[in-house]
Amino acid sequence: MKIPQPSQCSKRALAATIVRRLSTAITLLLALFLAVCVSLPAQAETVIVSTLAGSGEPGFADGKGSAARFNQPHVIVIDAMGKLLVADTGNRRIRIITPEGEVSTLAGSEGCCADGEENSARSNKRRIEKNAAGDLYVVDTANHRILKFTPKGEISTLAGKEKGFADGEGSEARFNHPHGIVIDAAGNLYVGDTENHRIRKIVIQRP
């Protein structure tokens, strides 16, 4: 006896029925999954704030933890060793903080003296950026300069000299209360020259 074969239309109808049933099953499973997820209690994050260094009183002192003192610290960057480099604005210093909370002074000192790089080291530091070699570039807002601090603590004026506006090489350039600074992958610096209403680019050409 010859068994009749299903027609092409019957095959399509059977396939459509299977697809509908699979779609219904998937929809039910998805709804069940969402219901279980919604019913589970949310896992709240635990946020813990602690003091790494500083006593809470303005002043200046190197030391560990609360034995150290700062005066209006502003900007922080971190180096490859996990040390924090802090612009201690009120004290006119660059401070270093180890991961253990030990604070020391990289550059700067209190008081005022004759014009020059040492005076710049005592200036009001607002922003910091760091290159791959560990050099720090500091925006010296009050003195309208960009300073460079090496890992050895050496200080120099990278660009700028006095208030004004001028493009040019090194000390020939002029800024007017610069603030922000960033560095790109090529080592070029970009400075927010606030009172000149310009974004300045500093290209460091090495031998």
Side-chain angles (χ1 to χ4, degrees):
M1 181 178 179
K2 189 175 182 180
I3 300 175
Q5 298 296 319
S7 66
Q8 194 68 24
C9 292
S10 298
K11 290 180 180 179
R12 292 197 188 99
L14 179 61
T17 300
I18 293 173
V19 169
R20 282 197 302 273
R21 290 180 179 177
L22 284 174
S23 177
T24 300
I26 291 171
T27 301
L28 290 174
L29 287 173
L30 180 59
L32 179 62
F33 174 76
L34 291 175
V36 171
C37 289
V38 170
S39 65
L40 290 174
Q43 298 296 320
E45 292 181 330
T46 301
V47 180
I48 300 172
V49 179
S50 61
T51 298
L52 177 64
S55 65
E57 295 293 330
F60 171 75
D62 288 335
K64 187 171 184 178
S66 60
R69 289 200 174 192
F70 300 88
N71 189 354
Q72 299 181 348
H74 272 71
V75 182
I76 302 174
V77 296
I78 190 166
D79 68 12
M81 303 299 293
K83 295 180 181 178
L84 302 177
L85 304 164
V86 181
D88 191 2
T89 304
N91 284 320
R92 302 181 178 183
R93 293 171 166 94
I94 300 295
R95 313 290 293 279
I96 299 177
I97 309 175
T98 69
E100 295 74 31
E102 190 71 42
V103 179
S104 59
T105 299
L106 173 64
S109 59
E110 195 56 68
C112 186
C113 57
D115 290 339
E117 292 175 1
E118 179 61 20
N119 189 36
S120 295
R122 299 180 182 186
S123 65
N124 196 350
K125 306 167 187 68
R126 295 287 183 178
R127 297 291 184 270
I128 304 175
E129 189 56 272
K130 181 174 65 68
N131 66 12
D135 298 319
L136 296 180
Y137 298 105
V138 178
V139 176
D140 181 3
T141 301
N143 287 316
H144 319 287
R145 302 178 185 187
I146 309 302
L147 306 179
K148 178 182 177 180
F149 293 76
T150 70
K152 296 179 180 179
E154 300 166 339
I155 307 161
S156 61
T157 298
L158 181 71
K161 185 176 182 180
E162 58 191 23
K163 182 178 177 180
F165 170 74
D167 289 333
E169 184 175 335
S171 60
E172 296 175 0
R174 296 289 184 270
F175 299 88
N176 190 347
H177 291 92
H179 276 80
I181 185 169
V182 295
I183 189 169
D184 66 15
N188 301 313
L189 299 170
Y190 298 88
V191 178
D193 193 0
T194 305
E195 295 300 324
N196 279 324
H197 314 289
R198 291 173 165 94
I199 305 301
R200 314 290 293 279
K201 180 179 181 180
I202 302 174
V203 178
I204 302 172
Q205 298 177 340
R206 295 178 174 83

